Amino acid sequence: MNKKLWSGLFTQPVDEGVAAYTASVHFDHRLWEVDIQGSLAHAHMLAQQGLLSPEELKQIQHGLEIVGQEIRQGEFTWRIELEDIHSNIEARLIELIGYSGKKLHTGRSRNDQVATDMRLWLVKELTHIQQLLRYLQLALVELARSHTETLMPGYTHLQVAQPISFAHHLLAYVEMFKRDEQRMQEIKARTNTLPLGSAALAGTSYPLDRKLVAQLLGMVDEEGGEQICQNSLDAVSDRDFIIEFCAAAGLCMVHISRFSEELVLWLNQNFAFIRLADKYVTGSSIMPQKKNPDVPELARGKTGRVVGHLMAMFTLMKAQPLAYNKDNQEDKEALFDTVDTLTTTLSIFGNLVKDGVSVNAHNMLEALRQGYPTATDLADYLVRKGIPFKDAHESVAKVVKLALEKGCGLEQLALPELQAIDGNIGSDVDEVLDLVSALKRRNSLGGTAPEQVKRQIEEHLFRLLA
Ligand code: ARG
């Protein structure tokens, strides 16, 4: 009972430390559902090819159903000496149905089995991640919708540069998450390819029908054509799909992290651009006045570990000879943690944006004013009146100095005050200094003008609600 599956050859039981060191069942049990799914498809195909009798197939199907129930109900006994999820399920199957259970492994190795499981598992998770990304984008677009005219400072070098709308700022993140969603789709399409049928490394002498297995597992392209790994050595050893997923996940977390950094800034008392609903902030054990932005801070921190997993996966692969090596067992915890971190983060951010953010438009406007964001517009206005830019630049510098002294915005200076600095300034300057007009003027494709932003919002909604 305690003997390992291959122990006919062995004269000693495996060292306990070694058994614990090489085991993966304490983390790879998460693959149980896709492992059974793969086994059912393999068994079905074996029967089709005459390698299992219809009766044996029935027994295997029945046995795997019981195993699935036991696992789902928490009644399954995981045995560390059986190393991994694959051997645990198979051993239990044999316990339940006996002889025919032993036939399931015909033409199959754990090497092509685990590669198949990992792909099936990731494909499902990718679909979930895409849904979460769409939910977050929709929440951002919905919030943007009510802020196409809400003025805020646009920054370069984190210094006030030009007026933008809050909606325009939010839509920049929608673009990032849209690309993330596309990347996930591309990775999903490549991941959804079948290794099973490659056996240990070299293929098998059994007449397997890999196309049938691919169809049964939904490993098909958009036209329904089977996607099958074409080289058995590559099939059992390739983990590119994990590496590229970790890269895409890392990049998505970097986008979340940039957004988090801005949330933290906007929540700072000296900005106070937004408030977060109490259910999304946390208190301090010592300072009663505090409401801390722990969620964005943690997301910023967790970005580090996701990027770290990518480095781990690169390093895992870099010196592996063909074909399968046990190194690959190390792909699991990194992948699982990447998926867990990304999905929980995306889901919290979707909710937080949907119902947690309230905007303090007054403070945004004040911060904008204090940065004299229409100074360039005023210089351009003087240039249009025929003044050389150098002189215009000098005049505007004086205007800014006056506004600084008076502690007001450029648009709040009276016309005679402006004319005392530069006689070329006329009453038509109001339009130039008006912040709303300055926003509307930036009406180039992709610009911050409400007309542009509203069009972008319509396009996003059309795409996200389709
Ligand atoms: N638990 C192993 C893994 O995760 C399964 C494959 C083991 N194959 C082998 N020949 N030892 O990679």
Side-chain angles (χ1 to χ4, degrees), residues 270-291:
N270 302 328
F271 278 75
F273 284 4
I274 60 165
R275 278 181 306 277
L276 273 191
D278 277 357
K279 63 177 170 173
Y280 295 115
V281 293
T282 43
S284 155
S285 57
I286 180 164
M287 294 167 282
Q289 86 281 15
K290 294 268 273 182
K291 280 188 180 175

Side-chain angles (χ1 to χ4, degrees), residues 24 28 83-84 86 110-111 114 324 326 328-329 332:
S24 54
D28 70 13
E83 205 175 287
D84 57 23
H86 324 291
R110 281 186 300 156
N111 297 352
V114 71
Y324 176 84
K326 186 78 165 185
N328 284 336
Q329 185 163 287
K332 289 175 192 62

